[in-house]
Amino acid sequence: MQYPDWIWHNGAIKRWADATTHVMSHALHYGSSVFEGIRCYQTPGGPVIFRLTDHNTRLFASAKIYDMAMPYSLEQINAACREVIRANENTTDYLRPVAYRGLGGFGLSADTPTDVAVATWKMGQYLGASVLEQGIDACVSSWQRFAPNTLPAGAKAGGNYLSGQLVAREARRLGFGEGIALASTGLLSEGAGENLFLVFDGALHTTPVSAALLNGITRNTIITLARDAGIEVVERDLPREYLYLCDELFMCGTAAEITPIRSVDGRQVGAGKPGPLTRRIQDLFFGLFDGKTPDKYGWLEAL
């Protein structure tokens, strides 16, 4: 991988190689980190960061859930995101703010300093070239999501993604593009790192936040854009077999953007290719960046 030259770390822009942390840091041993994934897009009016404030507001919410003191304000983290993009002279990058418990005591409840970094790199299509056009083949994982009274799925915490790693790596090992996880109830939850939308009779159906999933910002964007366009959106519990019976199916997330799913567990979904409503949602979403979809909500934040 080609790493960028610069990174923001604990209040300053540094050389990428100089942004180090100790091997005995709390986060390395216990997964005590919270983070965000944010994309930058080029628009006719110049480069923008998509929903920067919403993402970093969630970063602070995740830190609050885990009782992690943040040494910087929301405004300072927003400024750091802009600063590291400018330092690397790139305007279509992926941003990764991360806050983590650093070197301090060694117990689970130890008081440690909170270190913060913001990195940026070229992401491209997360699940592979051409997947936004052609779709992927997915599978239901043998690994379930954690029960709601075990870990808070509403926090975007590093430790939560151990579950996603198991789901994603199993899918790759079996030859699929991505995995889909069930909740502890046996009902649908989400992908390894993406939310799910199923299409039935021209309406979007998506699993609720109570299904052990992260309430994704891309998920919220799709729900908002769809309803503004007169498309019905239903949030409800969904059984596994509905993956095989829906007319269309897609995953969404900052990294995955809007990725169609053409089959699940070897069963063809709908026509076996991205369907018309999936294409419509893609057009509405990417239209934010080419000017075809009005930015009514101030989501495009200038660099």
Side-chain angles (χ1 to χ4, degrees), residues 1-300:
M1 178 175 176
Q2 181 67 42
Y3 296 116
D5 293 329
W6 304 101
I7 187 170
W8 188 95
H9 183 224
N10 287 338
I13 292 288
K14 301 178 180 179
R15 288 282 180 186
W16 180 275
D18 294 336
T20 58
T21 192
H22 199 280
V23 295
M24 295 307 295
S25 292
H26 196 278
L28 182 61
H29 295 262
Y30 302 123
S32 48
S33 66
V34 295
F35 70 96
E36 283 296 319
I38 312 171
R39 277 195 187 260
C40 305
Y41 289 95
Q42 194 64 240
T43 75
V48 299
I49 306 176
F50 184 58
R51 300 189 67 169
L52 172 67
T53 300
D54 290 335
H55 277 284
N56 283 332
T57 297
R58 187 174 64 181
L59 179 75
F60 278 76
S62 298
K64 182 177 183 179
I65 290 170
Y66 275 97
D67 194 27
M68 186 182 301
M70 290 291 284
Y72 303 97
S73 68
L74 173 62
E75 292 73 22
Q76 287 175 309
I77 300 301
N78 282 352
C81 290
R82 293 184 167 97
E83 187 178 3
V84 75
I85 286 283
R86 289 194 296 265
N88 286 293
E89 299 180 348
N90 290 318
T91 57
T92 56
D93 283 11
Y94 178 87
L95 279 163
R96 171 58 56 84
V98 58
Y100 56 98
R101 289 193 166 103
L103 182 64
F106 299 122
L108 285 170
S109 62
D111 290 324
T112 73
T114 301
D115 292 336
V116 183
V118 183
T120 181
W121 64 87
K122 291 291 184 185
M123 167 74 70
Q125 293 189 8
Y126 173 64
L127 294 175
S130 302
V131 298
L132 299 186
E133 298 78 24
Q134 298 175 11
I136 62 168
D137 301 307
C139 68
V140 175
S141 179
S142 65
W143 294 98
Q144 289 188 336
R145 282 295 191 218
F146 32 82
N149 60 342
T150 55
L151 291 174
K156 193 172 177 70
N160 289 8
Y161 282 77
L162 289 170
S163 169
Q165 289 177 53
L166 292 170
V167 173
R169 294 183 72 86
E170 178 183 53
R172 304 296 192 280
R173 187 176 70 250
L174 296 175
F176 293 96
E178 187 59 297
I180 295 170
L182 303 181
S184 59
T185 58
L187 300 172
L188 284 178
S189 178
E190 61 180 350
E194 310 88 4
N195 295 128
L196 290 171
F197 282 87
L198 293 74
V199 176
F200 291 97
D201 299 323
L204 290 176
H205 295 247
T206 190
T207 47
V209 294
S210 56
L213 56 84
L214 180 71
N215 187 11
I217 288 174
T218 306
R219 175 185 183 272
N220 171 263
T221 301
I222 290 169
I223 291 172
T224 303
L225 292 176
R227 286 176 172 162
D228 284 351
I231 299 166
E232 183 182 4
V233 181
V234 181
E235 297 181 70
R236 64 176 178 127
D237 288 327
L238 292 160
R240 171 180 178 162
E241 63 267 24
Y242 277 33
L243 294 170
Y244 313 141
L245 302 177
C246 58
D247 302 321
E248 304 174 39
L249 176 63
F250 63 86
M251 289 178 161
C252 72
T254 295
E257 296 174 305
I258 299 167
T259 299
I261 300 174
R262 60 195 178 203
S263 74
V264 179
D265 297 336
R267 296 169 172 86
Q268 180 175 299
V269 173
K273 60 182 180 181
L277 188 51
T278 301
R279 292 298 191 205
R280 173 71 173 136
I281 297 299
Q282 286 181 326
D283 289 344
L284 287 170
F285 178 76
F286 290 109
L288 288 165
F289 314 117
D290 64 17
K292 294 178 182 176
T293 301
D295 177 24
K296 296 166 51 178
Y297 301 98
W299 289 336
L300 309 184

